[in-house]
Amino acid sequence: MGQYKKHWFTLITLCIVMFSVLGYFGVDIYRSAPPIPAQVSSSDGKALFGREDILDGQTAWQSVGGMQLGSIWGHGAYQAPDWTADWLHRELSAWLDLGAQERHGKPYAGLTEGQQGALRAELKAEYRRNGVNQTENLVVSERRAQAMAQTGAYYEQLFSDAPTFQKSRESFAMKENTLPSAERRQQLTHFFFWTAWAAATERPGSQVTYTNNWPHEPLIGNTPSSENVVWSIVSVVVLLAGVGFLIWGWSFLRKHDEPLPAAPKQDPLTSFALTPSQRGLGKYLFLVVALFVFQVFIGGFTAHYTIEGQKFYGVDVSQWFPYALTRTWHIQSALFWIATGFLAVGLFLAPVINGGKDPKFQRLGVDVLFWALVIVCVGSFVGNYFAIAQTMPAEWSFWLGHQGYEYVDLGRLWQILKWVGILLWLVLMLRGVLPALFARNKEDKNLLALLTASVGAIGLFYGAGLFYGERTHLSVMEYWRWWVVHLWVEGFFEVFATTALAFVFSSMGLVSRSMATSASLASASLFLLGGIPGTFHHLYFAGTTTPVMAVGAAFSALEVVPLIVLGHEAWENSRLKDRAPWMAKLRWPLACFVAVAFWNMLGAGVFGFMINPPISLYYIQGLNTTPVHAHAALFGVYGFLALGFTLMVLRYVRPQLVFSDGLMKTAFWGLNGGLVLMIATSLLPIGLIQFHASVSEGLWYARSEAFMQQPLLQNLRWIRTFGDVVFIVGAMAMAWQVVLGLASRDSAPRSQQLAPGIGR
């Protein structure tokens, strides 16, 4: 460890402490998750349904796309309703009408204010009371059983092809006969009821519901809890304190920057021959842009469904390619091409680290991994199609078709095979890294050790997604799902990207190894300090307790702190292009890395914190403010990183390539401009308008058909088309540049000399 002992001690201690916090409260989630009643019955003794029926409904919901068709507990897609909030409001309204007819012989709307107030008080008392007894049976009143039956009948028709609700299905971007089986539609209603019951019923010994009073529903007093407000204020204070300490440390505690080393006259990474495995990376780069173009076009197609619902400019295509399917493909293809870009840069660096040589059979491993990626991608997409089309046997759906959970939608078999592929990548990386790491020489290997640790974390932590099953409790599933979506992606990929860039720049001789190592270790500590326990900010309302909210609120605020200095990082990275004449060939990869710093600050920082405090997320979870953060952070950060890595690897595997300024300007500014336009002219305004509706009326209304189909929001969704077109033009220019680069062939020989200071 040498001079970096304090850095390593800080990083290792933080990881131990933060993972202990994550594990401790993870146990609490298992212990305190909302119960699934063994039996639900009415007060007259009639059995309605049981635990297995609820779980069967959960699997039915997964098979139609799950979180890609509306949302549950605020997690999922945004065009159809949040089924939890929608069921709850419909059931409450039905109960009030039934009570009004019983008491006064007229509908609830026709009662006096005093009569309505008396019924609402009775409604609140009944719904917030926890009716689960010691035998885990839930007993509901006869009136509530009737309200449940009425609400269930609505959903059974909505998910069928009943003509009565054809217009609603179109508004919700649902295909006709979404769930053909009448038995499974009934089971689906049991699952929807249970999610709404958990959102309305107070946790024993508490005055808040199992979902911390989410969603906002004034009829039964679902409003922000006192803990929600307190921890929201604490999160802001923590953010301000963190920023203050960061600025203080940056200004007063850091040592003066050591002078930059003299830049080499020649790019060190071009001073040795390409290895067979590096020459085999071209197909990875083609896969990146092929999936990227597919993702962009299917994204534009999906966005149009928010306008017409079942048609694409008048052509009914929803029976073959419904919204739930195209949105699944849009998200999954993004994850595939971004991951492929990261895998490619790792495989390019492995021989560099290994002294310019391939380990034995490295090229074979690279080829096998590529075709494994293709098989998993195609297989999972085909499985998605047959699951949502409901032509796949129900018992196969979770394993071969669709898991139903956003970002991990691919069937479980494909998920396992994907993890096997990632582990193969880990093996290929370690075969190149470990010989250099354990070589007996006096080189500073701390940066290489950190890179190795991040590679190991990427390989291993994806396996967290296998810790839940088809019928796992929803709260427990959410805990493990966010290990993948937040911790694996936003945590360890961030560390890998930072360390890989530092290694590349130091290997080029543009920054000193000591400066790169210190910066990478410090960045890793800052990222993981907030990032590991910050996972809980996704779980405020997923059936967790107040301490989970407290930890998530406090530490997720710290996630924003390191992003404050990314403006400086962008400036420093942009200056590297002037360090040596040969850096001109890396102008556009470097521009992508500058864009990463900008979008990290705006998308992950500003837009991320906009939705992170509990009081904020209480009202806007499940609204279009969430895709503002998702688009700006997922593409703006990880997308530009993957594209930057792709261009960088392309530049080295085709050494004589000169990027086209025309194509690259179109690509770079088209992608950035298109992203700005789709956020500023559509997603953000719609989200803010929904936010107002959620605060004033309730989440059910902000996601309702009546609200979402009003002309203003329709026009804003049409306006998004301009941003989408600009983005598509940029994507096509980027893809064409990569294809042209791969099509070029170099005849100039490269020196066999190993660059000093690289690898061994």
Side-chain angles (χ1 to χ4, degrees):
M1 294 185 181
Q3 61 179 310
Y4 310 107
K5 183 179 295 186
K6 290 182 179 179
H7 291 83
W8 278 110
F9 179 79
T10 300
L11 177 59
I12 293 170
T13 302
L14 279 175
C15 285
I16 292 173
V17 173
M18 295 302 104
F19 272 111
S20 297
V21 171
L22 192 65
Y24 176 83
F25 288 104
V27 172
D28 181 67
I29 289 173
Y30 273 84
R31 184 173 54 246
S32 59
I36 302 177
Q39 183 70 48
V40 179
S41 57
S42 60
S43 55
D44 62 357
K46 181 181 179 182
L48 302 177
F49 51 86
R51 177 179 295 143
E52 293 305 310
D53 298 303
I54 294 171
L55 293 176
D56 286 340
Q58 179 174 316
T59 64
W61 166 71
Q62 292 165 341
S63 73
V64 297
M67 291 179 178
Q68 302 296 359
L69 185 64
S71 57
I72 291 290
W73 288 350
H75 292 153
Y78 313 102
Q79 184 65 13
D82 179 88
W83 305 116
T84 302
D86 191 66
W87 176 289
L88 180 59
H89 188 77
R90 288 180 182 277
E91 185 186 324
L92 296 176
S93 299
W95 188 100
L96 288 172
D97 274 330
L98 288 168
Q101 290 290 350
E102 290 175 13
R103 296 267 181 89
H104 307 286
K106 59 178 69 173
Y108 175 76
L111 302 183
T112 65
E113 186 175 340
Q115 292 170 331
Q116 288 182 344
L119 271 178
R120 285 199 304 271
E122 187 180 340
L123 174 80
K124 180 178 178 180
E126 177 172 341
Y127 273 76
R128 294 188 71 89
R129 182 176 62 248
N130 195 313
V132 177
N133 59 29
Q134 293 181 344
T135 60
E136 297 187 340
N137 291 330
L138 172 63
V139 179
V140 300
S141 68
E142 293 182 42
R143 183 186 299 169
R144 183 170 185 177
Q146 292 180 55
M148 290 162 55
Q150 288 184 19
T151 308
Y154 162 77
Y155 284 104
E156 288 181 38
Q157 293 186 71
L158 179 67
F159 279 79
S160 72
D161 55 2
T164 308
F165 294 104
Q166 191 280 326
K167 181 62 179 174
S168 293
R169 284 190 291 273
E170 185 176 355
S171 298
F172 298 155
M174 298 170 62
K175 71 185 184 77
E176 295 299 304
N177 219 14
T178 303
L179 189 57
S181 166
E183 179 184 6
R184 300 191 81 205
R185 287 198 299 270
Q186 186 179 55
Q187 292 167 343
L188 178 70
T189 66
H190 303 329
F191 173 65
F192 285 173
F193 161 78
W194 173 78
T195 68
W197 171 82
T201 300
E202 291 183 357
R203 186 183 294 276
S206 171
Q207 293 184 328
V208 297
T209 70
Y210 284 106
T211 57
N212 286 307
N213 280 1
W214 185 94
H216 181 213
E217 178 51 81
L219 286 176
I220 55 169
N222 263 16
T223 56
S225 65
S226 56
E227 292 87 355
N228 184 304
V229 176
V230 167
W231 287 108
S232 297
I233 295 172
V234 168
S235 72
V236 175
V237 173
V238 169
L239 172 63
L240 294 175
V243 171
F245 278 113
L246 180 67
I247 294 173
W248 179 70
W250 184 266
S251 302
F252 300 108
L253 296 182
R254 72 185 179 100
K255 298 178 181 179
H256 292 293
D257 287 338
E258 57 184 271
L260 293 173
K265 293 182 179 180
Q266 177 188 351
D267 183 351
L269 295 185
T270 63
S271 61
F272 62 93
L274 285 171
T275 68
S277 71
Q278 288 175 322
R279 288 196 296 270
L281 292 176
K283 52 184 172 289
Y284 281 78
L285 308 186
F286 179 79
L287 182 61
V288 168
V289 294
L291 285 171
F292 178 40
V293 169
F294 173 78
Q295 186 236 342
V296 169
F297 274 98
I298 204 71
F301 185 89
T302 304
H304 191 77
Y305 268 141
T306 66
I307 301 168
E308 291 194 77
Q310 296 179 333
K311 299 179 177 64
F312 186 74
Y313 292 99
V315 179
D316 188 353
V317 291
S318 63
Q319 290 305 301
W320 299 280
F321 303 102
Y323 174 87
L325 176 66
T326 60
R327 191 174 189 271
T328 297
W329 284 352
H330 175 61
I331 292 176
Q332 285 300 305
S333 57
L335 298 180
F336 274 121
W337 74 257
I338 290 172
T340 302
F342 277 71
L343 299 186
V345 75
L347 294 172
F348 174 79
L349 289 176
V352 175
I353 296 168
N354 194 41
K357 301 188 297 293
D358 271 345
K360 195 174 183 180
F361 301 121
Q362 185 80 351
R363 172 62 187 263
L364 175 63
V366 167
D367 291 342
V368 169
L369 176 58
F370 173 79
W371 291 111
L373 287 173
V374 172
I375 291 171
V376 169
C377 183
V378 173
S380 65
F381 279 19
V382 171
N384 295 153
Y385 180 89
F386 286 114
I388 292 177
Q390 295 292 298
T391 57
M392 178 178 287
E395 61 271 18
W396 294 5
S397 185
F398 181 85
W399 281 91
L400 295 177
H402 203 299
Q403 290 191 42
Y405 299 128
E406 195 175 25
Y407 295 107
V408 283
D409 307 270
L410 69 174
R412 175 52 58 86
L413 175 64
W414 308 114
Q415 185 184 17
I416 293 172
L417 292 177
K418 182 178 179 180
W419 190 38
V420 171
I422 293 169
L423 292 176
L424 174 58
W425 174 78
L426 172 59
V427 171
L428 294 173
M429 289 294 298
L430 293 180
R431 294 174 78 235
V433 171
L434 292 182
L437 187 63
F438 293 109
R440 295 180 178 275
N441 56 43
K442 296 183 178 180
E443 282 189 10
D444 180 353
K445 297 174 184 174
N446 284 272
L447 184 60
L448 187 56
L450 181 60
L451 180 64
T452 305
S454 66
V455 166
I458 288 174
L460 297 175
F461 273 83
Y462 184 76
L466 303 179
F467 286 147
Y468 62 85
E470 182 177 7
R471 299 168 79 84
T472 297
H473 192 289
L474 198 60
S475 298
V476 173
M477 179 284 302
E478 285 285 37
Y479 173 69
W480 290 114
R481 181 172 77 97
W482 288 109
W483 269 62
V484 177
V485 182
H486 177 93
L487 189 58
W488 184 64
V489 174
E490 296 182 40
F492 293 111
F493 264 110
E494 187 89 47
V495 174
F496 170 77
T498 301
T499 311
L501 282 176
F503 183 85
V504 168
F505 291 148
S506 64
S507 297
M508 289 176 175
L510 300 175
V511 296
S512 69
R513 181 59 63 96
S514 62
M515 183 186 298
T517 303
S518 297
S520 297
L521 285 167
S523 296
S525 296
L526 285 172
F527 288 141
L528 298 180
L529 170 63
I532 294 174
T535 304
F536 286 136
H537 80 253
H538 300 284
L539 303 174
Y540 293 155
F541 313 118
T544 58
T545 55
T546 299
V548 170
M549 179 189 295
V551 172
F555 282 95
S556 65
L558 290 176
E559 288 185 83
V560 181
V561 172
L563 305 181
I564 302 298
V565 299
L566 289 178
H568 180 269
E569 180 184 320
W571 170 249
E572 291 296 321
N573 286 347
S574 68
R575 291 172 60 195
L576 292 178
K577 70 179 184 296
D578 302 320
R579 294 274 291 123
W582 47 265
M583 278 297 293
K585 291 188 175 182
L586 289 170
R587 173 190 174 190
W588 291 109
L590 199 60
C592 289
F593 300 144
V594 172
V596 167
F598 170 77
W599 286 108
N600 226 333
M601 179 181 63
L602 181 63
V606 176
F607 292 147
F609 192 73
M610 176 179 73
I611 65 175
N612 274 3
I615 189 65
S616 175
L617 199 59
Y618 178 85
Y619 289 109
I620 64 180
Q621 179 161 289
L623 305 185
N624 276 269
T625 44
T626 302
V628 169
H629 165 60
H631 282 78
L634 183 58
F635 177 76
V637 179
Y638 295 99
F640 268 119
L641 258 178
L643 292 176
F645 284 147
T646 298
L647 294 175
M648 186 179 74
V649 174
L650 176 64
R651 180 261 177 275
Y652 287 113
V653 299
R654 296 291 186 269
Q656 304 306 313
L657 170 67
V658 177
F659 292 116
S660 164
D661 268 356
L663 277 176
M664 289 310 304
K665 286 179 180 177
T666 302
F668 182 77
W669 294 112
L671 292 173
N672 279 285
L675 187 56
V676 168
L677 284 173
M678 72 172 71
I679 290 172
T681 65
S682 183
L683 290 175
L684 185 57
I686 292 173
L688 293 177
I689 294 170
Q690 284 184 293
F691 175 37
H692 183 271
S694 179
V695 173
S696 58
E697 298 289 338
L699 178 69
W700 69 272
Y701 178 65
R703 290 279 297 273
S704 67
E705 179 180 5
F707 184 82
M708 291 298 291
Q709 297 305 312
Q710 60 182 301
L712 173 60
L713 297 190
Q714 281 279 65
N715 291 337
L716 286 172
R717 289 195 289 272
W718 270 113
I719 290 172
R720 178 178 167 174
T721 305
F722 295 104
D724 287 350
V725 169
V726 172
F727 193 89
I728 289 171
V729 170
M732 292 298 293
M734 178 69 75
W736 188 237
Q737 173 64 90
V738 173
V739 170
L740 288 178
L742 292 173
S744 67
R745 294 296 176 191
D746 300 315
S747 57
R750 300 178 68 183
S751 168
Q752 300 296 319
Q753 177 187 356
L754 176 64
I758 301 178
R760 293 186 292 181

